[in-house]
Amino acid sequence: GAVVSQHPSRVICKSGTSVKIECRSLDFQATTMFWYRQFPKQSLMLMATSNEGSKATYEQGVEKDKFLINHASLTLSTLTVTSAHPEDSSFYICSARDPLRGHSYEQYFGPGTRLTVT
Amino acid sequence: AQKVTQAQTEISVVEKEDVTLDCVYETRDTTYYLFWYKQPPSGELVFLIRRNSFDEQNEISGRYSWNFQKSTSSFNFTITASQVVDSAVYFCALSTTTSGTYKYIFGTGTRLKVLA
C-alpha cells in the first residue's frame, strides 16, 4: 500500500519550452502532496506543499510562476516547469501524505523524474 | 528552528565491516517523527524506519539497527556486516507539525561506499 508514481521518469526538453511532471497516489487519497528538487550529490530541497483544491504553498526562494503546481484531485498533483532553462535540470521528487493512515506524519515518495534541459 | 545534521558526508568501508551513520536533530516540538531513507543510484527513496518522539526503544531489523537518544537528540543508524549492496546515500529526516504542515526536514545525507 501507499504507492506513489511519477510520470515521466526521465524527460529531455529544449530551453524555453515547458514540461509537466505528474505525481499520482495509486492506492490512497492524498490531501497533501509535496514537491522536492534534488541537485546532484545534494539533499532534497522542498519546493512546495500542495493541498487538494487550493493553491500550493511555495518555499522561500522558489519561483511560483516558473514552477506551477496543480493539485486538482485527491490522487493527482502536477508540476509544470515553465520556460525551462538548463539550470532547471534536476531530479524532481514528489511525495504524498495519507491522512487516513495511523502514521500521518509519514510521506510516501514517488520514484522521481530526471529533467534535462538542453 | 528545525534542523537535521548528518556530519558524515562520505564513508568508505570494506565489506563485512560495521558502520554507523550519525544523525543529530533539532526541534522544539515535543511530538515529532524521525526517518531514515536509503537512496540508491536509481534515485528512488527507500523507506527504512520511522520512529516517533515518544518511543525511545532501539530497533533492529536484520543487519540494520537504530539508536534513538532524546537526551542527545540523536538517531543513529548502524549497518552490521556491510555488503556492497548497501552502497547508497542515506538520509535522515525529521517531521513535525510546525505551522500545521507535516514537512520533512532532510539532512544533507551520508554517502556510503562499501568496497568488496
Side-chain angles (χ1 to χ4, degrees), chain A residues 14-100:
Chain A
K14 292 189 175 180
S15 190
T17 62
S18 296
V19 61
K20 182 185 285 187
I21 302 170
E22 293 185 348
C23 177
R24 293 182 186 274
S25 56
L26 299 185
D27 54 358
F28 65 99
Q29 294 185 327
T31 52
T32 305
M33 288 183 167
F34 303 86
W35 286 95
Y36 295 86
R37 182 175 183 177
Q38 186 180 30
F39 290 108
K41 297 193 176 183
Q42 293 191 26
S43 188
L44 284 76
M45 180 194 80
L46 179 65
M47 299 174 66
T49 302
S50 76
N51 293 296
E52 186 267 338
S54 62
K55 290 184 178 180
T57 302
Y58 290 81
E59 296 298 302
Q60 196 170 7
V62 177
E63 299 176 61
K64 302 178 184 182
D65 295 333
K66 181 161 194 61
F67 299 101
L68 301 179
I69 292 172
N70 184 279
H71 192 161
S73 79
L74 286 171
T75 59
L76 174 64
S77 177
T78 59
L79 167 67
T80 301
V81 183
T82 62
S83 187
H85 288 98
E87 56 265 30
D88 299 324
S89 298
S90 191
F91 191 55
Y92 293 88
I93 304 173
C94 74
S95 69
R97 270 187 60 234
D98 181 354
L100 298 182

Side-chain angles (χ1 to χ4, degrees), chain B residues 46-74:
Chain B
V46 177
F47 168 80
L48 296 178
I49 190 170
R50 167 189 57 246
R51 174 68 69 220
N52 75 56
S53 52
F54 300 107
D55 182 3
E56 285 194 73
Q57 263 194 323
N58 291 328
E59 183 156 337
I60 298 174
S61 176
R63 297 185 296 108
Y64 296 168
S65 62
W66 291 268
N67 183 277
F68 177 30
Q69 293 195 338
K70 288 179 74 171
S71 60
T72 55
S73 296
S74 64

